[in-house]
């Protein structure tokens, strides 16, 4: 048997295997993309770099909200060697059990993964991945730990950026940040677990701007998840871009001063620059130090306490709280009366206390004096004329017509619905119309006598302090307003378009001067209710309000603007449960704020002392 | 006796040059893969590349010694050499286990693997045995003797356990097949036991080994392909199930074989061979179908088990994910590769492909040099293997021929299995790529094996036996 031919079998095997392998390699390497993608998945990691958030400046360029470097203490279990739990616990000042529990907590927190193919359930926690053992340490805290980390292989520090507030003011304006939740991650792919998101205030409203653009680095990683080098020399990388800075209309000094004035009180101050609608100060009292809400540790330590505080420091009163405007509302009823032609500047009504109470003063012979004295019967008469114009036979139908007309005027001042201010947490207040009362009393079952309290800003009328200030600004502008807003410039590019548009009221410009004259008399003439707001060289126009409150002491309120000509500031002050009327507490507070803003110094030292010492924060 | 100057007179330079090139390419790849920036020097002996160069020196030195020894020595002392390697295989079983196997003899990184050297001992003894018998009158006894020579070291290796080298030892069956020692006597004994049956030889018995090889090779490839779908980037609509890819390939080789026959054979031979090809194609297709549809028809948990065993599915917690990683590395190489030193998946530093400097050294090479590099490397190995077959066929003595074939088939096995596991055609059984992989033991044993062959070949005219 000759077996020489069998060599061809062996040669054929060698050649065929060679050819098959070559074809296979051609397919794998050149034709098929699957393995290239798989290799990218394995070795090339997309690393997102979260930029620091945009910074907030006040109107003078002072940094209100900035960023500060913090440190996370990270660990990779696979790299830990000879871990001395006790020594580590001593280093960070914990107990041994606490350290052990923290490891357990991290592992548990990662959740489990169920593999359908193999039926195995494995923990998502991976020994080769870094996890934060301690988060958000300050430089001082990490400085104690860092030098000893070489004794604990597998542990290292990582830099993160968090907010810092050089001024402890304006917490209710700027809001705060906290970690995104699962829903937010699902909704917006920008966010990854551990990222922060604006939770309230401007941080939330301007989230899209402030968060900036994430940078993406493609890196070649090892099986241990270490970065080895940048992929393709960084050809595909994008640079993280910090969000644009926001320049606010807030004057941080004025804001701080306002917060000081309202110490030990509950209430609000809202100051607006009438010509631009920029909010100069928005004080909510009591408030809190925004530095209490930096990072997870601080939030968990302070949030619950502040949330349950009966004085509601987290509640942005100037934006959200709805108060009856009280007598300040008489300004608007005056304007509507003039516009409707039911009164003239010379109209006089006796101070007849039969329908509605009043304090002792001479009867007003004209409109400015009625404002000066804040005469309730006068406004009862004025508003009755507005509501009941005798255009319909039925008094009820007549009231319906009149009220709806009245409500339309009121809405043109931005009342009865939310202003489009650039912040979250706004309320709209309430301006009742016919429909509103129909619900209460039934159609055509009510007339002016039923709803008369609206004439003096009580009853169903509700305004937020922001709206009150905006009314003051509108009067200061003689008939128009720009929606009050915080941000005067986004990254140097000016405000949003809606904050450039003038909104005109339904009141003719000509009717304002008489009202403003009345407001001047309130402050500057003897017998005026707001004389405590008077300043030496500046004409302040204002209107007091004393809001009856069934639950306790009257609220003290005051709206004003100054100077009388070319006004620079419009303001509303509202102090809850102050023992005394608007003239006693709110007017001097407004006066001090105006003085502070316009002259940068306080001459009225006694007035300041009285306000600072006043304490209405009892329950 | 020869004169001294004839020492290299019949030296086979082409074989030696390919051997040296593979070694140097291997070192270059190890240097790139295991590169440590702290020790940039290629000759730093604390690093794998430095060590590999040291092993190269030692291997060449050993080769020189082997080459200086008269080839008669190997013929005369093949029994002691064989027994010596057996003794080493026994001793190694009492050594402490490294990575679950008692395969290493010696201390730390300076150890050797007796199994590597047992291949040489077995090859020599098998050559001696086959050259001493008349294969034309083979009996059950001679078949059993020949098989015993292979089986004894195989059993000892399985005890370590070292599945890879165990499989490699079956390459000797091809050598026996080439020399006419087949399982035919055994099969005849069984078949002729039936009354009235008297075969002188059976076709299956004679060609049992290559048939077995084809069956196993085809089955494994079909299994691996049955889960794949062949797609083409330029023709997105076309999707070929992996199974049909196998059938097409079989048909392609059938037609190729037919064309090949037209040029090399007479008409009568051609008719016979054509019949064999047609029958072979039909049988292969049937086999592939059975494997494919049998596998698809399995209950899912059985399927998963087989898939995991073969490394078809990535189990992140299991050890079989190497294959998937290796294929990603190879496949991402593209046509031109990522460039020397630019392997992102398979560098030792990244550690995505374990053993990327030893058993999976093909990965970094393929990733860095792309298809151009891999086709060149396959070409070089084919040249090496065919050159050894050529050398085997030019020997006058049976001993030399058997030994040469043994070397060829051992290297072929290593080549086929090692590359197979890098490209998803073979299960992951750890055997090195000859001359290329990092490791002193394999480099030394393959070098000694090569130099014994070169020596026998250079003295081929001296011997007649």
């Amino acid at each position: 048997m000759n077996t020489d031919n069998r060599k061809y079998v062996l040669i054929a095997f060698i050649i065929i295997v060679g050819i098959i392998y070559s074809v296979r390699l051609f397919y794998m390497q050149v034709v098929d993309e699957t393995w290239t993608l798989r290799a990218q998945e394995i070795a090339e990691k997309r690393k997102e770099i979260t930029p620091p958030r945009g910074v907030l400046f006040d109107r003078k360029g002072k940094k209100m909200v900035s960023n500060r470097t913090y440190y996370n203490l990270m660990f990779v279990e696979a790299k830990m060697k000879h871990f001395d739990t006790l020594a580590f616990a001593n280093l960070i000042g914990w107990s041994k059990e606490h350290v052990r529990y923290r490891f357990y907590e991290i592992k548990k927190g990662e959740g489990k993964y169920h593999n359908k193919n193999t039926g195995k359930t494995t923990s998502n926690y991976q020994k080769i991945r870094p996890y934060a053992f301690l988060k958000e340490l300050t430089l001082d805290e990490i400085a104690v730990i860092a030098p000893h980390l070489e004794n604990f292989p597998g542990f290292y520090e990582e830099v993160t950026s968090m907010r810092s507030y050089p001024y402890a003011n304006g917490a209710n304006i700027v809001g705060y940040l906290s970690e995104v939740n699962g829903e937010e991650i699902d909704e917006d792919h920008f966010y990854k677990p551990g990222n922060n998101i604006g939770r309230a205030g401007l941080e939330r409203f301007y989230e899209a701007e402030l968060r900036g653009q994430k940078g993406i680095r493609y890196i070649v990683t090892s099986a241990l998840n270490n970065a080895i080098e940048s992929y393709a020399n960084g050809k595909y990388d994008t640079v993280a871009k910090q969000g644009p800075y926001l320049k606010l209309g807030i004057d941080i000094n004025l804001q701080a001063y306002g917060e000081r004035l309202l110490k030990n009180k509950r209430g609000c101050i809202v100051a607006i620059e009438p010509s631009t609608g920029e909010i100069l100060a928005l004080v909510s009292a009591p408030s809190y130090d925004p530095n209490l809400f930096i990072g997870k540790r601080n939030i968990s330590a302070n949030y619950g306490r502040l949330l349950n505080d009966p004085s509601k420091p987290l509640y942005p009163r100037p934006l959200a709280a709805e108060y009856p405007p009280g007598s300040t509302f008489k300004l608007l009823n005056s304007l509507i009366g003039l516009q409707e032609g039911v009164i003239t500047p010379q109209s006089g009504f006796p101070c007849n206390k039969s329908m509605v109470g009043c304090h002792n003063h001479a009867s007003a012979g004209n409109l400015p004096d009625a404002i000066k004295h804040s005469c309730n019967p006068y406004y009862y008469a004025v508003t009755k004329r507005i509501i009941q114009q005798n255009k319909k036979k039925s008094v009820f139908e007549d009231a319906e017509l009149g009220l709806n007309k009245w409500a339309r005027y009121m809405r043109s001042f931005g009342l009865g619905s939310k202003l489009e201010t650039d912040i979250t947490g706004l309320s709209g207040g309430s301006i009742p119309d016919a429909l509103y009362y129909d619900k209460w009393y039934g159609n055509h079952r009510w007339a002016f006598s039923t709803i008369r309290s609206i004439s003096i800003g009580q009853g169903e009328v509700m305004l937020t302090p922001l709206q009150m200030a905006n009314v003051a600004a509108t009067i200061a502008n003689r008939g128009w307003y720009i929606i009050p807003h915080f941000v005067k410039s986004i990254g140097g590019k000016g405000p949003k378009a809606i904050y450039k548009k003038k909104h005109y009221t339904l009141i003719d410009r000509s009717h304002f001067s008489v009202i403003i004259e009345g407001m001047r008399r309130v402050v500057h003439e003897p017998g005026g209710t707001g004389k405590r707001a008077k300043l030496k060289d500046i004409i302040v126009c204002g209107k007091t309000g004393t809001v009856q409150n069934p639950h306790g002491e009257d609220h003290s309120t005051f709206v004003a603007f100054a100077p009388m000509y070319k006004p620079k500031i419009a303001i509303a002050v509202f102090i809850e449960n102050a023992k005394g009327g608007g003239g006693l507490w709110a007017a001097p507070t407004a006066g001090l704020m105006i003085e502070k803003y316009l002259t940068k110094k306080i001459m009225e030292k006694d007035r300041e002392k009285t306000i600072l010492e006043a304490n209405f924060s009892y329950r | 006796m020869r004169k001294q100057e004839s020492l290299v007179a019949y030296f086979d330079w082409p074989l030696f040059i390919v051997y040296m090139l593979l070694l140097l390419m291997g070192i270059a790849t190890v240097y790139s893969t295991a590169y440590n920036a702290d020790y940039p020097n290629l000759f730093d002996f604390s690093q794998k590349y430095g060590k590999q160069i040291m092993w190269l020196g030692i291997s060449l030195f050993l080769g020189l010694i082997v080459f200086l020894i008269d080839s008669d020595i190997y013929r005369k002392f093949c029994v002691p050499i064989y027994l010596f390697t057996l003794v080493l295989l026994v001793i190694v079983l009492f050594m402490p286990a490294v990575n679950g196997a008692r395969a290493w003899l010696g201390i730390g990184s300076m150890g050797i693997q007796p199994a590597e050297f047992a291949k040489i001992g077995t090859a020599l003894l098998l050559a001696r045995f086959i050259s001493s018998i008349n294969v034309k009158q083979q009996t059950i006894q001679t078949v059993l003797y020949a098989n015993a020579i292979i089986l004894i070291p195989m059993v000892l290796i399985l005890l370590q356990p070292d599945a890879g080298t165990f499989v490699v030892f079956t390459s000797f069956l091809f050598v026996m097949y080439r020399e006419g020692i087949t399982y035919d006597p055994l099969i005849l004994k069984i078949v002729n036991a039936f009354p009235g049956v008297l075969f002188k030889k059976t076709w299956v018995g004679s060609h049992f080994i290559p048939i077995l090889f084809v069956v196993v090779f085809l089955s494994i490839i079909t299994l691996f392909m049955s889960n794949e779908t062949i797609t083409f980037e330029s023709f997105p609509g076309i999707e070929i199930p992996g199974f049909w890819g196998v059938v097409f390939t079989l048909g392609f080789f059938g037609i190729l074989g037919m064309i090949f026959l037209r040029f090399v054979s007479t008409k009568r031979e051609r008719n016979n061979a054509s019949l064999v090809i047609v029958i072979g194609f039909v049988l292969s297709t049937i086999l592939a179908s059975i494997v494919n549809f049998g596998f698809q028809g399995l209950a899912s948990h059985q399927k998963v088990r087989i898939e995991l065993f073969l490394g078809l599915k990535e189990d992140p917690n299991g050890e079989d994910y190497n294959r998937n990683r290796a294929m990603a590395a190879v496949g991402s190489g593209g046509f031109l590769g990522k460039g020397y030193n630019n392997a992102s998946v398979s560098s030792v530093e990244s550690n995505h492909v374990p053993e990327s400097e030893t058993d999976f050294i093909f990965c970094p090479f393929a990733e860095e040099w792309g298809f151009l590099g891999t086709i060149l490397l396959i070409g070089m190995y084919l040249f090496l293997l065919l050159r050894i077959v050529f050398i085997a066929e030019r020997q006058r003595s049976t001993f030399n021929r058997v030994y040469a074939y043994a070397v060829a088939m051992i290297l072929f096995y290593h080549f086929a299995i090692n590359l197979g596991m890098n490209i998803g055609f073979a299960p992951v059984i750890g055997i090195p790529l000859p001359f290329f992989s990092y490791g002193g033991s394999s480099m030394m044993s393959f070098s000694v094996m090569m130099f014994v062959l070169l020596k026998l070949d250079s003295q081929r005219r001296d011997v007649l036996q």
Side-chain angles (χ1 to χ4, degrees):
Chain A
M1 184 173 62
N2 188 353
T3 58
D4 273 356
N5 278 342
R6 290 188 177 182
K7 73 180 175 202
Y8 293 118
V9 175
L10 304 193
I11 290 170
F13 274 155
I14 293 171
I15 291 174
I16 287 173
V17 167
I19 292 174
I20 289 178
Y21 281 17
S22 302
V23 171
R24 171 72 170 173
L25 279 166
F26 183 77
Y27 176 70
M28 272 176 74
Q29 294 191 295
V30 183
V31 181
D32 192 14
E33 283 292 286
T34 318
W35 297 108
T36 310
L37 298 174
R38 178 83 183 107
Q40 282 170 1
E41 199 179 299
I42 292 170
E44 289 154 24
K45 288 267 156 63
R46 216 167 149 270
K47 196 173 179 202
E48 287 185 346
I49 298 148
T50 312
R53 284 173 79 87
V55 179
L56 273 62
F57 294 101
D58 90 333
R59 67 187 295 114
K60 304 256 173 64
K62 288 180 180 147
K63 218 177 246 183
M64 273 179 75
V65 181
S66 87
N67 296 307
R68 207 166 126 189
T69 304
Y70 284 79
Y71 301 86
N72 290 341
L73 182 60
M74 310 295 290
F75 75 96
V76 177
E77 191 180 339
K79 290 188 178 169
M80 282 165 58
K81 267 181 226 150
H82 317 297
F83 182 67
D84 184 343
T85 312
L86 185 63
F88 185 75
N90 287 336
L91 177 63
I92 61 172
W94 285 14
S95 72
K96 233 167 123 173
E97 290 70 33
H98 196 175
V99 170
R100 287 210 191 95
Y101 180 76
R102 176 68 188 140
F103 280 119
Y104 165 78
E105 194 181 48
I106 292 165
K107 279 173 205 177
K108 209 176 138 213
E110 285 302 308
K112 294 215 152 105
Y113 168 73
H114 183 74
N115 186 332
K116 277 182 216 149
N117 287 323
T118 57
K120 277 185 205 161
T121 301
T122 48
S123 174
N124 282 336
Y125 176 85
Q126 285 194 4
K127 289 185 176 176
I128 56 167
R129 287 218 182 119
Y131 296 94
F133 191 87
L134 292 175
K135 276 188 181 174
E136 299 159 0
L137 300 172
T138 62
L139 181 62
D140 291 343
E141 287 169 311
I142 196 76
V144 180
I145 300 171
H148 304 285
L149 283 183
E150 61 184 78
N151 301 328
F152 303 99
F155 280 83
Y156 62 96
E157 65 202 70
E158 188 191 73
V159 176
T160 64
S161 162
M162 284 199 296
R163 284 305 207 194
S164 94
Y165 306 94
Y167 300 87
N169 306 109
N172 297 101
I173 303 169
V174 295
Y176 61 98
L177 303 176
S178 75
E179 234 174 79
V180 284
N181 59 38
E183 227 169 87
E184 285 157 341
I185 294 169
D186 290 343
E187 258 172 40
D188 190 338
H189 295 300
F190 181 89
Y191 301 105
K192 296 279 172 317
N195 283 169
N196 281 330
I197 189 170
R199 274 281 168 248
L202 297 179
E203 294 276 23
R204 186 177 188 89
F205 192 89
Y206 285 99
E207 173 67 18
E209 285 85 6
L210 289 172
R211 67 189 188 183
Q213 283 170 24
K214 279 187 177 176
I216 295 161
R217 265 182 73 207
Y218 292 94
I219 44 172
V220 178
T221 59
S222 75
L224 291 177
N225 238 349
N226 298 328
I228 294 176
E229 60 195 18
S230 61
Y231 176 70
N233 289 326
K235 200 162 71 179
Y236 305 106
D237 296 2
T238 55
V239 183
K241 242 170 102 181
Q242 184 173 13
Y245 69 87
L246 301 185
K247 184 152 191 173
L248 308 187
I250 297 285
D251 180 331
I252 190 67
N253 288 334
L254 186 67
Q255 174 75 23
Y257 185 65
E259 289 184 21
R260 221 178 114 213
L261 291 176
L262 289 197
K263 210 167 175 203
N264 296 324
K265 300 162 196 76
R266 292 184 202 173
C268 319
I269 303 172
V270 181
I272 297 173
E273 184 176 68
S275 59
T276 59
E278 288 162 13
I279 297 170
L280 300 168
L282 186 120
V283 179
S284 181
S287 187
Y288 62 97
D289 182 348
N291 289 299
L292 292 177
F293 275 6
I294 299 176
K296 222 176 181 174
R297 274 198 303 166
N298 280 322
I299 290 176
S300 57
N302 298 315
Y303 186 78
R305 181 173 58 79
L306 290 172
L307 187 70
N308 295 323
D309 188 327
S311 65
K312 294 189 179 173
L314 298 181
Y315 183 57
R317 289 163 204 260
L319 308 171
E322 296 176 343
Y323 301 106
S327 299
T328 60
F329 204 57
K330 289 169 185 167
L331 297 172
L332 294 172
N333 281 335
S334 307
L335 285 166
I336 295 168
L338 288 172
Q339 182 69 28
E340 280 293 298
V342 296
I343 55 164
T344 66
Q346 286 74 40
S347 298
F349 296 97
C351 183
N352 177 0
K353 300 189 182 72
S354 62
M355 288 304 290
V356 54
C358 199
H359 52 104
N360 289 320
H361 61 86
S363 284
N366 56 44
L367 186 52
D369 277 345
I371 294 172
K372 176 175 120 184
H373 294 305
S374 193
C375 180
N376 286 344
Y378 188 99
Y379 280 95
Y380 176 82
V382 171
T383 313
K384 185 172 184 181
R385 284 198 185 178
I386 297 171
I387 304 298
Q388 310 277 198
Q389 292 189 17
N390 296 323
K391 299 225 165 122
K392 296 258 180 184
K393 270 186 187 160
S394 152
V395 66
F396 301 113
E397 282 177 39
D398 194 44
E400 181 182 20
L401 188 78
L403 182 70
N404 281 344
K405 206 180 266 180
W406 176 86
R408 222 170 63 239
Y409 281 113
M410 286 299 177
R411 287 195 202 103
S412 76
F413 281 85
L415 307 181
S417 63
K418 284 183 194 174
L419 286 164
E420 284 179 84
T421 299
D422 50 353
I423 199 158
T424 56
L426 289 165
S427 293
S430 146
I431 294 295
D433 55 9
L435 222 59
Y436 181 94
Y437 286 115
D438 284 351
K439 266 183 210 149
W440 279 93
Y441 303 109
N443 194 13
H444 297 154
R445 305 283 293 273
W446 53 271
F448 174 70
S449 54
T450 328
I451 62 171
R452 61 177 184 271
S453 54
I454 63 168
S455 54
I456 54 166
Q458 295 277 166
E460 292 74 30
V461 175
M462 293 290 212
L463 265 66
T464 65
L466 179 67
Q467 286 172 325
M468 296 177 195
N470 193 41
V471 166
T474 310
I475 295 171
N477 286 335
R478 278 79 171 164
W480 56 267
Y481 68 93
I482 290 176
I483 297 171
H485 56 278
F486 289 95
V487 175
K488 61 185 286 180
S489 181
I490 302 170
K493 287 181 188 149
K496 295 187 169 196
I498 59 162
Y499 301 133
K500 289 179 189 163
K501 193 185 159 210
K502 286 180 184 175
H503 293 258
Y504 284 91
T505 63
L506 297 174
I507 311 289
D508 292 343
R509 186 180 171 85
S510 56
H511 298 308
F512 281 90
S513 51
V514 60
I515 304 299
I516 291 168
E517 170 57 21
M519 290 171 79
R520 187 192 68 78
R521 291 184 192 175
V522 167
V523 179
H524 290 277
E525 280 198 353
T529 53
K531 56 183 179 294
R532 283 190 174 81
K534 188 171 165 183
L535 296 175
K536 211 174 140 209
D537 300 321
I538 301 161
I539 302 175
V540 177
C541 301
K543 178 74 195 80
T544 56
T546 305
V547 181
Q548 288 157 24
N549 175 17
H551 306 298
E553 300 279 349
D554 291 349
H555 302 315
S556 171
T557 178
F558 190 71
V559 298
F561 65 88
M564 186 170 175
Y565 302 102
K566 293 191 179 163
K568 289 266 186 303
I569 178 170
I571 191 165
V573 176
F574 199 101
I575 299 174
E576 291 180 28
N577 309 122
K579 285 181 210 153
L584 204 55
W585 300 109
T589 305
L592 287 166
M593 288 293 284
I594 293 169
E595 191 184 4
K596 176 81 178 170
Y597 181 67
L598 294 179
T599 70
K600 317 290 176 226
K601 55 183 184 287
I602 299 296
M603 305 292 283
E604 307 282 348
K605 289 288 176 196
D606 292 347
R607 193 186 279 174
E608 184 183 44
K609 190 163 173 269
T610 314
I611 299 297
L612 287 175
E613 284 174 357
N615 185 339
F616 305 130
S617 65
Y618 53 85
R619 290 212 57 192
Chain B
M1 274 284 114
R2 298 174 330 280
K3 291 173 196 159
Q4 198 57 37
E5 62 265 24
S6 71
L7 189 64
V8 290
Y10 296 102
F11 188 73
D12 195 73
W13 286 105
L15 183 61
F16 179 74
I17 287 165
V18 179
Y19 156 78
M20 279 307 294
L21 278 176
L22 286 172
L23 280 174
L24 294 176
M25 283 164 71
I27 288 172
T29 309
V30 170
Y31 184 56
S32 150
T33 306
Y35 181 75
N36 184 336
D38 297 338
Y39 306 92
N41 190 347
L42 176 63
F43 296 96
D44 193 315
F45 292 135
S46 70
Q47 297 301 307
K48 289 193 167 157
Y49 29 96
K51 279 187 191 152
Q52 185 77 337
I53 287 175
M54 183 184 75
W55 291 122
L56 173 66
I58 295 172
S59 296
L60 291 176
F61 178 71
L62 281 177
L64 184 67
I65 293 172
V66 164
F67 202 76
L68 289 174
I69 297 169
D70 193 277
S71 63
D72 260 0
I73 302 289
Y74 303 119
R75 260 182 288 272
K76 283 178 186 150
F77 287 95
C78 59
V79 175
I81 292 170
Y82 177 77
L83 288 177
F84 177 67
T85 56
L86 282 191
V87 168
L88 290 182
L89 282 177
V90 172
I91 291 173
V92 86
L93 293 178
F94 297 97
M95 290 290 135
V98 179
N99 293 334
R102 299 170 199 282
W104 288 90
L105 203 59
I107 319 124
S109 62
M110 298 305 284
I112 57 155
Q113 286 176 284
E116 300 285 348
F117 294 93
K119 289 174 203 159
I120 304 171
T122 309
L124 286 171
L125 188 64
L126 191 68
R128 175 97 175 104
F129 174 71
I130 292 175
S131 64
S132 70
I133 57 166
N134 183 353
V135 289
K136 284 178 184 154
Q137 294 169 352
Q138 59 163 318
T139 61
I140 290 178
Q141 228 171 10
T142 54
V143 173
L144 289 182
Y145 269 136
N147 277 287
I149 291 170
I150 307 166
L151 265 175
I152 294 167
M154 278 174 88
V155 168
L156 289 170
I157 285 164
L158 202 58
L159 288 174
Q160 291 184 356
D162 179 354
T165 313
F166 175 83
V167 172
V168 167
F169 265 73
T170 61
S171 63
F172 288 115
L173 298 176
F174 279 95
V175 182
M176 285 157 55
Y177 168 74
R178 163 66 186 85
E179 294 304 320
I181 297 177
T182 64
Y183 291 104
D184 208 24
L186 293 169
I187 287 171
L188 284 177
K189 179 94 179 166
I190 297 162
V191 171
N192 289 346
F194 291 97
V197 181
L198 189 67
F199 282 111
K200 277 197 177 146
K201 65 174 210 157
T202 61
W203 197 83
V204 172
S206 309
H207 299 281
F208 180 75
I209 285 151
I211 289 170
L212 186 71
F213 180 84
V214 168
V215 167
V216 171
F217 187 74
L218 188 66
S219 304
I220 289 177
I221 288 190
T222 310
L223 258 187
F224 281 138
M225 292 299 292
S226 74
N227 267 9
E228 274 191 38
T229 305
I230 301 168
T231 52
F232 300 91
E233 220 188 327
S234 355
F235 307 98
I238 300 177
E239 282 186 6
I240 305 170
F243 166 68
W244 288 106
V246 173
V247 175
F248 286 148
T249 313
L250 286 171
F252 170 75
F253 280 113
I255 292 164
L256 207 69
M258 298 273 206
I259 295 166
F260 181 70
L261 282 173
R262 181 167 289 276
F263 294 105
V264 297
S265 54
T266 65
K267 196 168 182 187
R268 204 177 132 262
E269 282 172 343
R270 188 152 70 227
N271 287 342
N272 279 340
S274 299
L275 192 67
V276 169
I277 287 173
V278 170
I279 293 172
F281 173 74
V282 171
L283 289 176
S284 304
T285 306
I286 291 170
L287 173 73
S289 310
I290 292 170
V291 171
N292 181 59
F293 297 111
F295 176 68
Q296 305 282 5
L298 281 180
S300 64
H301 70 275
Q302 289 168 318
K303 221 168 133 177
V304 166
R305 196 169 290 176
I306 291 175
E307 281 171 340
L308 283 178
F309 171 71
L310 295 173
L312 279 174
K313 267 244 163 65
E314 185 170 6
D315 176 4
N317 302 319
E319 290 173 4
D320 294 312
Y321 89 127
N322 303 16
R323 192 178 145 274
N324 189 295
R325 294 279 160 112
M327 287 174 75
V330 172
S332 66
F335 188 73
L336 290 170
K338 297 179 185 171
Y340 184 62
N341 242 331
N342 273 341
S344 59
V345 181
S346 55
S347 71
V348 165
E349 188 187 10
S350 70
N351 201 25
H352 290 300
V353 183
E355 304 288 325
S356 65
E357 77 284 16
T358 56
D359 293 347
F360 284 99
I361 187 105
F362 183 70
C363 285
F365 181 82
E367 201 181 345
E368 290 178 354
W369 299 102
F371 180 68
L372 275 187
T374 55
I375 196 82
L376 174 78
L377 192 73
I378 287 179
M380 286 172 72
Y381 272 106
L382 286 195
F383 177 84
L384 180 92
L385 295 170
L386 295 175
R387 182 76 197 171
I388 298 172
V389 171
F390 171 77
I391 289 171
E393 289 295 334
R394 77 180 174 196
Q395 301 303 315
R396 294 178 193 177
S397 80
T398 311
F399 179 88
N400 285 11
R401 188 177 64 236
V402 173
Y403 179 78
Y405 264 116
V407 174
M409 294 323 285
I410 288 170
L411 292 179
F412 173 58
Y413 259 59
H414 272 267
F415 163 77
I417 295 174
N418 185 286
L419 249 64
M421 60 194 209
N422 279 287
I423 60 176
F425 272 177
V428 176
I429 50 171
I431 58 171
L433 188 60
F435 315 124
F436 218 80
S437 288
Y438 169 78
S441 203
S442 73
M443 193 199 267
M444 284 193 300
S445 66
F446 281 124
S447 295
V448 168
M449 195 184 276
M450 284 299 281
F451 276 99
V452 171
L453 174 67
L454 285 166
K455 180 66 185 177
L456 292 174
D457 180 53
S458 72
Q459 288 184 303
R460 63 184 179 269
R461 282 154 202 269
D462 299 351
V463 285
L464 295 167
Q465 191 193 358

